[in-house]
Amino acid sequence: MHTCGPRSSLIKSFESDPNKVLLIDENKVMTRADVLSEADRLAAALRAYGVGEGDVVALRSSLCPDTVIRMIALDALGAQIMMTEIHSRAADLLSANGIRGVAYILTDESGHLILENGSGGLLGKVTADRAEMCTFDEHDENAPFISVLTAGSTGHRKAVVLSRRAVMAQPADAAVLFDEDGNDIAAAVMPLNHVLGLATVMNALYCGHGLFFPSSVKGSHILECIERYRISLIYAVPTFFLSLLQNGMYKTRDISSLRLGMVAGGPCTEEQMMRIERELGICLVPSYGMSECMGATAMSFSDPIEERACGVGRVSPMAEIRITGEDGGRMPCGAIGEIYMRGGSLMLGYYGDGRATREVIDDDGWLHTGDLGHFDERGILFLDGRKKDIIIRGGENIAGIVIEYALLAVPGVYRACVVGVPDEIYGEVPAAMVVLDAGAALTEEDMYEQLKSRLRKHEIPAFIAIADSLPLTTAGKTDKNAVKEILSCRRA
């Protein structure tokens, strides 16, 4: 019997039903017992190389069962896991972001699991073929457990350090709010170094349900997998759910098993929410959070669509949120201010950067998110943009997200991004890049005509660029820095 702390938190239900299916891909099925056995053998092999308590191990976050097994093995050793992207060498990625102090790098190379030192020097090929099982010490639930890199869509990327307690706070709430249990099967469609991808894994481990890894996240393939593997849960950004609607392909598949989608990480209008629910037959639950504080708000699976579609949810049980004015005081219902949050899922800080941590977490433990929002009388949170994204046009403050929502409400607009670009007269003006629905014949003039009734005169973009796609970060979010550069060049 294993007695280590992580066994009781990350995989608390494994030993009660060891033959229940846990990890699935298109080539194999693994039970809880299979996963524990492989994780134990891998942990023993890694410990033989010297990996132990407190060591920071960079782990390439490939979208596959092996990544989850490696996470469990490293957790059992008490190591701090730093999730990195699948297409970059960890050493290069961490160096580019100014991250130092990594002890080991665990990555795939030519079909082998390779362990390197923090500088990228080869230590050896890791073979998890040891028959014996290890015993592990209990680890502090409040100690550093896992780090994810911020998306970097508007600024420099930082490594967010989360404790075991923090990553389990979100699934503890989700299990109740989303009615998740051991009968569900979730599809892992977001990168595992993104908070949505991490939440998908942790919810599966906490709730004990199946977790499916597709070979491709293209909409047509995911629809096929929903039918074949009876997927019931998906956590993703809005554009992913919209991709399932393209060309009406979902009508050719039996997707009746799909019951719930958790949507976060980007704007999703009320019209889009209604459309996704109507066409996919799914209950869509909005959530608000970030790498620094997972799952701060969410709606309940049982809430009516009229409430779920209008904002980003009510405050989750493990979180506190306040809307704060410029003077630091709490704002009343309906008033817009900066969103402060604290609670069980709050990060420990930015890895190796105490100064940056102190800039966003105050002495009372409040995270200053940089997001603007307000509550309505029902306690539902609404987002009103980011402080950094406020466009100042001749002294007038304009929230880019307001223009984005107005554009997304125009029939035929699929995606939209609004940024401020330099202007000789006004200092800066709003500009938009949009992607149209397949087959839509909208022109810039058509969109301007629609925006006249939706926006104030000074909010209407100085120009709108129609593009085939928007530049994205590795987490699937719109890369606003890249959009700003493109539109600024066109403006010039």
Side-chain angles (χ1 to χ4, degrees), residues 54 56 79-83 99-100 141-150 158-167 195 198 290-294 344-354 357 361:
V56 181
Q80 180 181 340
I81 308 165
M82 185 168 288
M83 305 295 283
I99 296 171
R100 301 286 185 269
E141 295 294 297
N142 294 307
F145 163 53
I146 199 162
S147 298
V148 292
L149 292 175
T150 57
K158 298 179 286 290
V160 173
V161 182
L162 299 165
S163 67
R164 292 174 180 81
R165 177 171 175 262
V167 299
V195 286
L198 181 60
M290 56 190 64
S291 302
E292 290 87 346
C293 191
M294 299 170 61
S345 65
L346 183 65
M347 70 171 179
L348 296 175
Y350 295 117
Y351 180 81
D353 198 338
T357 301
I361 299 180

Side-chain angles (χ1 to χ4, degrees), residues 444-462:
E444 292 180 30
E445 290 72 24
D446 295 330
M447 285 182 272
Y448 279 125
E449 193 62 33
Q450 292 264 358
L451 292 178
K452 287 179 183 178
S453 62
R454 302 175 188 271
L455 297 171
R456 293 175 293 176
K457 184 177 179 180
H458 70 278
E459 292 175 328
I460 293 177

Side-chain angles (χ1 to χ4, degrees), residues 54-192:
D55 287 331
V56 181
V57 182
L59 175 63
R60 183 183 290 178
S61 55
S62 303
L63 201 61
C64 65
D66 285 344
T67 303
V68 179
I69 292 169
R70 292 163 191 174
M71 290 168 66
I72 295 172
L74 289 169
D75 177 62
L77 292 169
Q80 180 181 340
I81 308 165
M82 185 168 288
M83 305 295 283
T84 65
E85 296 165 5
I86 60 174
H87 300 300
S88 304
R89 275 188 52 82
D92 296 336
L93 178 65
L94 299 175
S95 175
N97 286 278
I99 296 171
R100 301 286 185 269
V102 174
Y104 300 99
I105 298 170
L106 192 60
T107 187
D108 295 286
E109 187 176 301
S110 303
H112 299 285
L113 184 59
I114 303 297
L115 186 68
E116 305 174 32
N117 61 32
S119 302
L122 178 65
L123 295 178
K125 297 177 181 178
V126 180
T127 56
D129 55 2
R130 295 167 179 261
E132 73 273 13
M133 299 298 179
C134 286
T135 57
F136 302 104
D137 297 328
E138 185 171 345
H139 308 304
D140 183 0
E141 295 294 297
N142 294 307
F145 163 53
I146 199 162
S147 298
V148 292
L149 292 175
T150 57
S153 58
T154 59
H156 184 68
R157 303 178 72 182
K158 298 179 286 290
V160 173
V161 182
L162 299 165
S163 67
R164 292 174 180 81
R165 177 171 175 262
V167 299
M168 299 316 296
Q170 191 274 334
D173 282 344
V176 177
L177 291 172
F178 305 163
D179 287 351
E180 290 190 41
D181 60 29
N183 296 315
D184 279 310
I185 298 179
V189 298
M190 295 295 293
L192 300 190

